[in-house]
Amino acid sequence: MGQRAEWVGPAGLGGASGVSGGAGCGRCRGRRCPGDGRSPSRQCWWPLPLPEPEWPPLLPRVAASQGGGMLGKGVVGGGGGTKAPKPSFVSYVRPEEIHTNEKEVTEKEVTLHLLPGEQLLCEASTVLKYVQEDSCQRGIYGKLVCTDFKIAFLGDDESALDNDETQFKNKVIGENDITLHCVDQIYGVFDEKKKTLFGQLKKYPEKLIIHCKDLRVFHFCLRYTKEEEVKRIVSGIIHHTQAPKLLKRLFLFSYAAAARNSTATDPKNHTVMFETLQDWCWELERTKGNMKYKAVRVNEGYRVSERLPEYFVVPTPLPEEDVPRFQGHGIPMWCWSCHNGCALLKMSALPKEQDDAVLQVQKSFLDGVYKTIHRPPYEIVKTEDLSSSFLSLQDIQTAHSKFKQLFLIDNSTEFWDTDIKWFSLLESSSWLDIIRRCLKKAIEITECLEAQNMNVLLLEENASDLCCLISSLVQVMMDPHCRTRVGFQSLVQKEWIMGGHCFLDRCNHLRQSDKEEVPVFLLFLDCVWQLVHQHPPAFEFTETYLTVLSDSLYIPIFSTFFFNSPHQKDTNMHQRQLSLPLTQSKSSPKRGFFREETDHLIKNLLGKRISKLINSSDELQDNFREFYDSWHSKPTDYHGLLLPHIEGPEIKVWAQRYLRWIPEAQILGGGRVATMSKLLEMMEEVQSLQEKIDERHHGQVALQAEASSLLRASARLSSLFPFALLQRHSSKPVLPTSGWKALGDEEDLARREDESVDVGDL
């Protein structure tokens, strides 16, 4: 058996104890309706291998305030550049003078809680955090602070809720905390005009707007804050979130040094880390691939390539001395073996050369390698060139940039103004189409492995982006083990971490190159969500697990998602006694975004070899359609092969992740979670009644009281549970009349506004 270790991603939300989501509802007219799911868990939804600090509820500091300001101008509204109505009242009372006595202020002071190794950098008092509502100056006064880990607002952050309401909370960051790596864009409002903030400022804004990578939007009013504090906090936030960083300056290292002895391990966690030769041998044995493939230690100590893991698997006939010839390029590496003996392989292309003699040597080398995996009629290999015949990284980057703008909503007015054209904006982003293309490509490869008994070789420039994506999707569809929580974590560890996916560059953690920032891993999670949404019983985990996993990309206390390669991680995390380098460790060459960079290379090196292996598009389409339709015509075996529906309406928006911070998008007392909770309550009530009848007990009044208390529980849930709670809903939005007249009467539209649904009355 292979070595086991604790995986540093979020865990603990598997099976029926988690939350799943996703169907539609009549209230949203089949448009952006959030999902629904299974019975919610009572446990915290972010169990991490961290010391668990005490997080006392934050007490209210200053009561909510209305419009009007001490300078005679209205506070800037919640809508970025939206002009607020001019107030008719001028207040000469400063916000901090609202309290009637000094004792009350002292009792309501809020303290900042720091993680091990975290340091306070700057702070500002008397900051107003706006409530995200339309044309509203209401908010919460408090203190805005910036540490080397996060931006935090300390005030009445609605944490003084019932314990039942806050049973699901993040153990690391609070509701009003933003990790520095999670900040996407920072805007300032100058004279009611919204501008992007970067670099040194000559003039400081009266309002600060922060857009986060997890799609949260924060509004802070600085009009009542002292000028010096405004300069310090704004300059500090811009510098620590937007300026390029050195690897050694990441909070990850400060936390690792301070919390080294306090990190507890979970003996129940059996995620395979693939850090030893035994781990790879165990995976070969599990998939029955040890007859044709072997684990090698030729890169032990990273003496061949810093891009590759120390241990990996290659075809048995391949001589180990061939691996170092081109630093691992041009070597078919094993990913997974099918039950029929066929295997999924991946290969990084050889470096581009202009010299004819070198090209001839490379071609001769590839011919020899090719013969080890293509031996007809016993073994046939099909090559999938992902660099030239599939998506480009620029396609993914552009689509996601457009897609995320649909959910970075500043206020209710902006939400409803985009409602009419939301479908067209969604389609123009092409994000759902990219998801569909990824799933279709994975089904095509699955068909080759399952139906045609062919080996499949994935080819990419560095085999660390699209190869990771497609190979992982194929294994989720074909291997039930990868649909368990531990199996899924092992899959991510094998294909993404050990596969050399450049998380440091792709997430732009160092803010050194926006062009390299491409959400490939998020695209993978979105594709997996489509499968989880369509086939919930086939998975041991739920959509909440995937949502939390996507959030952990930007929390710098994990080493999992903050390095470009296993070598870079081992150099910086395992040798802390040595001085850290001033720059990043030697990394793989920059991968190009454009297909022209790889097309010529592939054609030169492989010549006509690929054209012989790739079937014609018509034949491939016929085989795909027959395989796809045949599988969907049969009853689903959740312990076997699993294919998604990829027709237009079947690919949906991942509501829980993308809509969870928009109050207007949630349905109080609705969705699968509330429905399932309601059904469970009714089953418990029926069972209780049956037991009492059998025991010939009578107490109808007590039974009615018990039933009503049960029914109230489902009414407290939301369609975006557990991220959207009952208290977070906004007031009824003011619907714009322009553009809606053609759709129906305004009074009828007004009746469709968000309302709190009492499930107990149904």
Side-chain angles (χ1 to χ4, degrees):
M1 298 295 288
Q3 178 183 350
R4 302 292 183 270
E6 183 171 6
W7 197 66
V8 294
L13 281 166
S17 64
V19 180
S20 174
C25 147
R27 179 248 172 257
C28 287
R29 305 182 295 281
R31 210 245 302 124
R32 275 181 284 183
C33 181
D36 28 55
R38 304 179 210 164
S39 177
S41 169
R42 301 289 297 181
Q43 60 184 334
C44 178
W45 53 270
W46 188 291
L48 296 170
L50 299 172
E52 298 187 19
E54 296 290 335
W55 295 93
L58 302 180
L59 301 176
R61 181 171 181 178
V62 183
S65 171
Q66 304 186 63
M70 59 182 179
L71 300 179
K73 294 183 180 180
V75 180
V76 179
T82 304
K83 187 173 182 180
K86 186 175 181 180
S88 59
F89 172 76
V90 178
S91 172
Y92 296 93
V93 181
R94 295 179 61 84
E96 57 266 27
E97 297 174 6
I98 294 178
H99 291 291
T100 55
N101 57 67
E102 196 68 29
K103 181 178 180 182
E104 183 181 2
V105 177
T106 304
E107 289 177 350
K108 295 186 178 182
E109 280 293 333
V110 179
T111 58
L112 174 65
H113 297 273
L114 302 176
L115 291 177
E118 185 178 3
Q119 296 181 352
L120 176 65
L121 301 177
C122 52
E123 60 182 316
S125 302
T126 325
V127 175
L128 176 64
K129 176 182 177 290
Y130 281 119
V131 175
Q132 194 171 348
E133 293 183 8
D134 175 48
S135 300
C136 198
Q137 294 87 38
R138 293 186 304 134
I140 305 160
Y141 281 105
K143 181 185 295 185
L144 185 63
V145 302
C146 179
T147 73
D148 56 351
F149 169 61
K150 65 178 181 286
I151 301 166
F153 178 77
L154 308 177
D156 181 9
D157 65 347
E158 299 183 3
S159 62
L161 303 174
D162 297 335
N163 291 333
D164 291 338
E165 293 292 339
T166 58
Q167 57 180 303
F168 296 97
K169 63 179 180 179
N170 196 308
K171 288 185 176 181
V172 181
I173 57 174
E175 185 177 351
N176 290 325
D177 294 345
I178 314 165
T179 64
L180 300 182
H181 295 278
C182 192
V183 175
D184 190 13
Q185 293 288 339
I186 301 177
Y187 301 94
V189 176
F190 302 86
D191 298 326
E192 301 183 3
K193 293 182 179 179
K194 180 178 172 182
K195 298 180 181 179
T196 305
L197 301 182
F198 55 88
Q200 296 291 332
L201 301 181
K202 295 181 179 179
K203 182 181 178 182
Y204 290 87
E206 57 191 24
K207 180 179 178 183
L208 197 65
I209 303 175
I210 300 178
H211 286 186
C212 304
K213 292 182 179 179
D214 62 1
L215 305 180
R216 289 181 295 170
V217 179
F218 289 86
H219 300 255
F220 299 106
C221 177
L222 306 174
R223 305 185 102 197
Y224 308 114
T225 310
K226 295 179 181 178
E227 184 177 353
E228 289 301 319
E229 292 185 358
V230 171
K231 292 181 179 179
R232 283 198 299 269
I233 194 67
V234 174
S235 299
I237 290 176
I238 293 175
H239 174 73
H240 292 289
T241 59
Q242 305 295 313
K245 303 177 182 64
L246 298 175
L247 179 61
K248 71 171 186 176
R249 297 297 183 185
L250 295 182
F251 176 72
L252 174 70
F253 299 110
S254 301
Y255 179 82
R260 180 180 299 178
N261 297 326
S262 58
T263 302
T265 58
D266 182 4
K268 297 181 180 180
N269 194 322
H270 299 291
T271 300
V272 184
M273 303 301 288
F274 296 96
E275 294 177 342
T276 66
L277 193 68
Q278 289 74 22
D279 287 347
W280 289 98
C281 292
W282 179 85
E283 182 72 357
L284 277 173
E285 183 179 352
R286 186 188 70 82
T287 59
K288 306 293 191 296
N290 49 357
M291 298 298 294
K292 300 179 181 179
Y293 299 90
K294 62 182 179 182
V296 296
R297 57 173 78 235
V298 65
N299 197 39
E300 201 167 38
Y302 303 102
R303 58 179 179 264
V304 171
S305 172
E306 296 178 357
R307 178 183 58 87
L308 300 175
E310 288 190 280
Y311 311 99
F312 49 88
V313 177
V314 296
T316 301
L318 182 73
E320 292 189 23
E321 55 268 20
D322 285 353
V323 177
R325 287 191 61 181
F326 296 98
Q327 295 185 329
H329 290 272
I331 298 297
M333 295 186 179
W334 176 87
C335 297
W336 180 77
S337 288
C338 185
H339 61 86
N340 58 14
C342 296
L344 180 63
L345 309 167
K346 64 181 178 181
M347 176 193 291
S348 57
L350 290 175
K352 186 175 181 179
E353 294 288 348
Q354 299 295 335
D355 186 82
D356 292 339
V358 177
L359 284 174
Q360 188 61 35
V361 172
Q362 291 180 343
K363 188 176 185 304
S364 176
F365 173 76
L366 288 176
D367 285 341
V369 170
Y370 173 75
K371 291 177 182 178
T372 65
I373 56 177
H374 183 68
R375 294 176 292 180
Y378 306 105
E379 284 190 276
I380 302 176
V381 64
K382 177 181 182 296
T383 302
E384 283 286 349
D385 181 12
L386 301 179
S387 295
S388 63
S389 62
F390 192 47
L391 295 168
S392 70
L393 295 182
Q394 190 183 42
D395 293 337
I396 300 173
Q397 184 188 57
T398 303
H400 186 260
S401 296
K402 294 179 180 179
F403 179 70
K404 70 180 181 181
Q405 295 304 320
L406 298 174
F407 310 100
L408 292 169
I409 304 298
D410 283 346
N411 52 51
S412 298
T413 299
E414 185 177 340
F415 176 86
W416 292 108
D417 282 345
T418 61
D419 193 64
I420 295 179
K421 55 184 179 181
W422 197 84
F423 268 130
S424 61
L425 293 174
L426 178 63
E427 183 178 3
S428 64
S429 73
S430 300
W431 181 253
L432 297 185
D433 184 60
I434 285 178
I435 293 174
R436 181 180 297 104
R437 291 178 64 182
C438 292
L439 292 173
K440 182 179 180 182
K441 178 63 69 174
I443 296 174
E444 290 174 358
I445 295 172
T446 299
E447 188 267 337
C448 291
L449 294 168
E450 180 78 15
Q452 299 187 33
N453 295 329
M454 298 172 62
N455 294 330
V456 177
L457 176 64
L458 303 178
L459 186 64
E460 192 185 8
E461 184 179 353
N462 284 297
S464 60
D465 288 303
L466 299 178
C467 277
C468 300
L469 170 64
I470 298 302
S471 65
S472 299
L473 285 178
V474 170
Q475 293 176 63
V476 170
M477 292 180 187
M478 299 190 70
D479 192 346
H481 175 71
C482 296
R483 301 197 286 268
T484 66
R485 184 176 60 82
V486 171
F488 186 77
Q489 291 176 177
S490 299
L491 173 68
V492 171
Q493 184 70 23
K494 178 181 68 172
E495 296 296 333
W496 294 84
I497 311 303
M498 292 299 159
H501 181 67
C502 300
F503 284 99
L504 195 65
D505 292 341
R506 293 292 175 253
C507 298
N508 201 15
H509 289 314
L510 299 182
R511 295 283 180 175
Q512 293 184 349
S513 176
D514 292 340
K515 292 183 179 179
E516 292 291 323
E517 184 175 3
V518 186
V520 184
F521 187 71
L522 178 60
L523 175 59
F524 164 66
L525 294 181
D526 208 331
C527 291
V528 174
W529 178 84
Q530 304 292 332
L531 284 161
V532 173
H533 171 68
Q534 294 181 21
H535 306 287
F539 291 84
E540 189 183 83
F541 51 86
T542 63
E543 67 167 347
T544 302
Y545 172 83
L546 296 175
T547 302
V548 174
L549 186 59
S550 70
D551 289 341
S552 66
L553 287 171
Y554 308 108
I555 300 181
I557 60 175
F558 313 119
S559 61
T560 307
F561 304 121
F562 273 81
F563 294 102
N564 283 338
S565 65
H567 171 264
Q568 189 182 50
K569 175 182 175 181
D570 291 345
T571 302
N572 291 284
M573 295 300 294
H574 294 170
Q575 298 179 4
R576 291 283 303 162
Q577 69 276 14
L578 302 178
S579 60
L580 292 171
L582 294 179
T583 58
Q584 300 181 47
S585 302
K586 183 179 179 182
S587 60
S588 56
K590 297 295 182 182
R591 44 212 35 81
F593 283 140
F594 302 100
R595 295 175 181 172
E596 302 94 271
E597 299 180 13
T598 55
D599 282 349
H600 181 69
L601 169 65
I602 300 303
K603 291 176 181 177
N604 276 343
L605 297 183
L606 299 184
K608 299 180 180 179
R609 185 74 71 181
I610 291 181
S611 62
K612 293 180 181 179
L613 299 175
I614 301 180
N615 297 328
S616 65
S617 57
D618 294 338
E619 181 183 352
L620 182 62
Q621 190 66 28
D622 292 341
N623 292 337
F624 166 80
R625 178 53 60 182
E626 182 181 354
F627 177 73
Y628 178 82
D629 292 340
S630 174
W631 187 88
H632 282 290
S633 65
K634 302 174 184 176
T636 303
D637 178 12
Y638 293 122
H639 298 285
L641 178 65
L642 194 70
L643 298 184
H645 290 277
I646 59 173
E647 293 80 9
E650 298 296 338
I651 305 298
K652 302 182 183 297
V653 173
W654 185 358
Q656 189 191 69
R657 186 184 193 279
Y658 299 121
L659 293 169
R660 53 183 163 158
W661 311 122
I662 303 177
E664 293 80 6
Q666 67 170 305
I667 307 170
L668 302 177
R672 282 188 187 176
V673 179
T675 303
M676 183 61 68
S677 179
K678 174 75 173 180
L679 291 175
L680 292 175
E681 291 166 4
M682 295 178 64
M683 290 172 61
E684 291 176 1
E685 182 182 3
V686 171
Q687 184 178 0
S688 176
L689 289 171
Q690 186 64 47
E691 290 176 355
K692 293 185 179 296
I693 291 176
D694 293 341
E695 297 173 1
R696 297 181 180 180
H697 287 171
H698 50 275
Q700 191 65 28
V701 177
L703 286 176
Q704 291 178 353
E706 181 181 356
S708 62
S709 65
L710 288 171
L711 291 173
R712 283 197 299 269
S714 60
R716 299 165 71 89
L717 301 177
S718 162
S719 56
L720 298 179
F721 180 87
F723 296 97
L725 299 176
L726 189 63
Q727 282 79 4
R728 289 186 186 163
H729 73 279
S730 65
S731 59
K732 293 182 179 181
V734 180
L735 294 176
T737 57
S738 59
W740 288 95
K741 294 181 179 180
L743 300 180
D745 185 45
E746 293 179 17
E747 294 183 0
D748 180 63
L749 289 173
R751 287 194 292 270
R752 301 179 187 177
E753 298 176 4
D754 290 346
E755 294 182 353
S756 178
V757 180
D758 187 0
V759 181
D761 295 337
L762 298 179

